[in-house]
Amino acid sequence: MMTGFSTGFLFFTNYAINFMQIIFRKVRYRMRKYKVGIIGATGMVGQRFATLLENHPWFEVVCLAASPRSKGKKYKDAVGARWAMKKPIPESMKDMVIYDATADIEEIASQVDFCFCAVDMKKDEIRALEEKYAKAECPIVSNNSAHRATPDVPMVVPEINPEHIEIIDAQKKRLGTKRGFIAVKSNCSLQSYVPALHPLMKYGVTKVLACTYQAISGAGKTFETFPEIIDNVIPFIGGEEEKSELEPLKIWGKIEGDKIVNATSPSITTQCLRVPVSDGHTAAVFVSFENKPSKEEILTAWKEFSGVPQSLKLPSAPKQFLNYFTEDNRPQSKLDRELEGGMAVSIGRLREDSQYDYKFVCLSHNTLRGAAGGAVLMAELLAAKGYFD
């Protein structure tokens, strides 16, 4: 028969073990560095990946890949004068020898825990390439649009739909893989306004009109390589409006069986314009509700909104995801795109509208939150949940 002391000691021991197991689960993904490759390393988004991953606390770049013409060259030579980042080429990467992204898949896969992908190819070629990496048991975190409509490929904004990564198990079954899978980030244009709409969905968002004014870096350009944009606005970006109208519905969709089923509402219409701004996509947003909230309720919803990346304290997560400016002339791309390392969303000019319930303006950094930074944050989420182990 156990004494009161031994019963208490056993209870305390079991409690301590359970507590340590919880702590271990929370920190295990911080106890190793994942070896990472960048596929498409010479392009603008690939360059952004390189700068973001330099000295990353969880990820170490060990492999760079690009087109066949770059194979065998050192990274600094393959990029050359096309380096478009404000920071110099990372010291740890500049002398890395480039692999052929299409021909050296097995060799690349053998060196890494996962790869980021930002290649410039035709969509059908990208789909095939990313599946080849996945089938080589190399998880892919993709900046490309090719797999965004694939029903069992999660398209994740980590603060909004982190639960969609659970579809990866179904994808692995389809691909016949143990570790390999594909996860994608959404289009850069909707990264400005969808995060602002998400906390308001509880009021029944019925219809949205969004006009986006998109920076030239979204086209992989600088003012030196895109002189025709100076003193100009181009009112068309191929495929952008379709992506901006459809992709939010997948983000707000639900997993049903072995696929993600898109939401059926709200109704979204967009216009996307290229403007002479280096970085930062601005959106003018008009929204209507089933149950119209007050302005104060909207401001509170934005201020209090926080997601899984914030609760997990992921390295790239902004502390305050949504930031409202009270000044009439904010947000501005030049002043506000770098907020929280370019990973926060800026909002301003909330007011009632004569045709919709409300209108407001949003801003996000298109190559940070909208592209490479959003993909790095998604990879941190996947790492935290054990998908690269």
Side-chain angles (χ1 to χ4, degrees):
M1 180 178 294
M2 299 184 71
T3 66
F5 173 80
S6 58
T7 300
F9 179 77
L10 182 61
F11 174 81
F12 176 79
T13 301
N14 288 337
Y15 177 84
I17 291 172
N18 290 337
F19 178 76
M20 290 305 296
Q21 287 175 337
I22 292 171
I23 294 297
F24 178 75
R25 282 198 297 270
K26 287 186 176 181
V27 302
R28 69 180 167 84
Y29 54 85
R30 303 181 191 179
M31 296 175 68
R32 59 170 289 200
K33 266 206 169 186
Y34 294 92
K35 294 181 178 180
V36 176
I38 303 173
I39 305 167
T42 57
M44 183 171 283
V45 176
Q47 294 175 29
R48 181 67 78 179
F49 274 126
T51 60
L52 289 175
L53 294 170
E54 184 182 21
N55 302 318
H56 190 281
W58 296 2
F59 306 145
E60 177 187 5
V61 176
V62 298
C63 184
L64 301 174
S67 65
R69 66 178 177 272
S70 295
K71 181 175 180 176
K73 296 180 181 179
K74 292 182 178 179
Y75 188 39
K76 62 183 179 182
D77 298 325
V79 176
R82 292 184 295 119
W83 184 259
M85 301 293 107
K86 294 177 182 177
K87 293 182 178 179
I89 298 174
E91 284 292 321
S92 61
M93 301 177 213
K94 67 179 184 179
D95 290 324
M96 283 187 180
V97 176
I98 302 292
Y99 287 93
D100 184 335
T102 58
D104 299 329
I105 295 173
E106 293 291 339
E107 190 171 358
I108 293 167
S110 69
Q111 299 181 50
V112 301
D113 293 304
F114 71 95
C115 281
F116 292 102
C117 189
V119 295
D120 183 11
M121 299 164 61
K122 295 178 180 178
K123 277 192 178 183
D124 58 342
E125 295 174 343
I126 296 173
R127 276 193 291 268
L129 181 69
E130 291 181 342
E131 285 207 0
K132 285 180 181 177
Y133 274 93
K135 289 179 178 178
E137 300 297 352
C138 176
I140 290 293
V141 177
S142 179
N143 185 73
N144 302 301
S145 64
H147 272 293
R148 289 178 190 162
T150 305
D152 61 7
V153 171
M155 180 174 64
V156 175
V157 179
E159 284 88 351
I160 296 176
N161 62 329
E163 70 281 359
H164 280 195
I165 64 174
E166 295 171 12
I167 199 65
I168 286 172
D169 290 337
Q171 185 194 144
K172 286 179 180 177
K173 289 180 182 178
R174 174 176 64 84
L175 296 175
T177 60
K178 293 181 180 179
R179 290 187 68 253
F181 63 86
I182 303 159
V184 300
K185 56 156 293 297
S186 64
N187 184 263
C188 56
S189 66
L190 59 88
Q191 297 278 340
S192 56
Y193 61 88
V194 167
L197 290 170
H198 184 67
L200 310 181
M201 294 293 282
K202 61 186 177 183
Y203 299 111
V205 176
T206 56
K207 60 179 181 176
V208 175
L209 185 157
C211 293
T212 59
Y213 305 87
Q214 301 185 202
I216 61 175
S217 56
K221 303 286 188 180
T222 63
F223 286 116
E224 289 73 24
T225 61
F226 197 16
E228 60 267 38
I229 195 65
I230 297 173
D231 192 30
N232 196 16
V233 170
I234 300 174
F236 174 73
I237 306 173
E240 201 77 357
E241 288 158 3
E242 293 84 353
K243 295 173 189 175
S244 298
E245 293 171 359
L246 293 175
E247 289 184 16
L249 299 179
K250 183 173 183 179
I251 292 170
W252 286 320
K254 294 183 179 180
I255 295 176
E256 295 183 10
D258 60 356
K259 60 185 178 182
I260 297 169
V261 177
N262 288 8
T264 57
S265 64
S267 173
I268 303 172
T269 185
T270 66
Q271 282 205 125
C272 301
L273 296 81
R274 189 72 71 194
V275 296
V277 171
S278 59
D279 295 299
H281 287 356
T282 298
V285 185
F286 301 77
V287 58
S288 290
F289 300 91
E290 286 182 12
N291 303 297
K292 182 181 177 180
S294 67
K295 182 177 179 180
E296 290 70 26
E297 286 174 322
I298 293 175
L299 293 173
T300 298
W302 285 337
K303 183 178 180 180
E304 294 182 350
F305 181 71
S306 181
V308 170
Q310 285 71 40
S311 63
L312 291 177
K313 293 181 171 58
L314 299 180
S316 299
K319 292 180 180 178
Q320 181 65 41
F321 183 31
L322 305 178
N323 297 264
Y324 186 77
F325 289 83
T326 58
E327 299 92 333
D328 288 338
N329 63 347
R330 303 284 287 278
Q332 295 181 27
S333 56
K334 197 169 185 177
L335 298 177
D336 304 312
R337 61 193 171 204
E338 299 284 350
L339 186 63
E340 297 233 29
M343 293 298 290
V345 173
S346 301
I347 313 170
R349 302 206 66 209
L350 173 65
R351 59 219 190 274
E352 293 197 46
D353 182 66
S354 60
Q355 306 298 313
Y356 289 72
D357 287 331
Y358 288 99
K359 53 190 171 186
F360 52 87
V361 176
C362 297
L363 169 72
S364 66
H365 195 302
N366 56 295
T367 68
L368 289 170
R369 166 56 72 166
V376 171
L377 183 62
M378 179 169 58
E380 292 167 0
L381 174 67
L382 290 164
K385 298 295 184 178
Y387 282 89
F388 300 138
D389 295 336

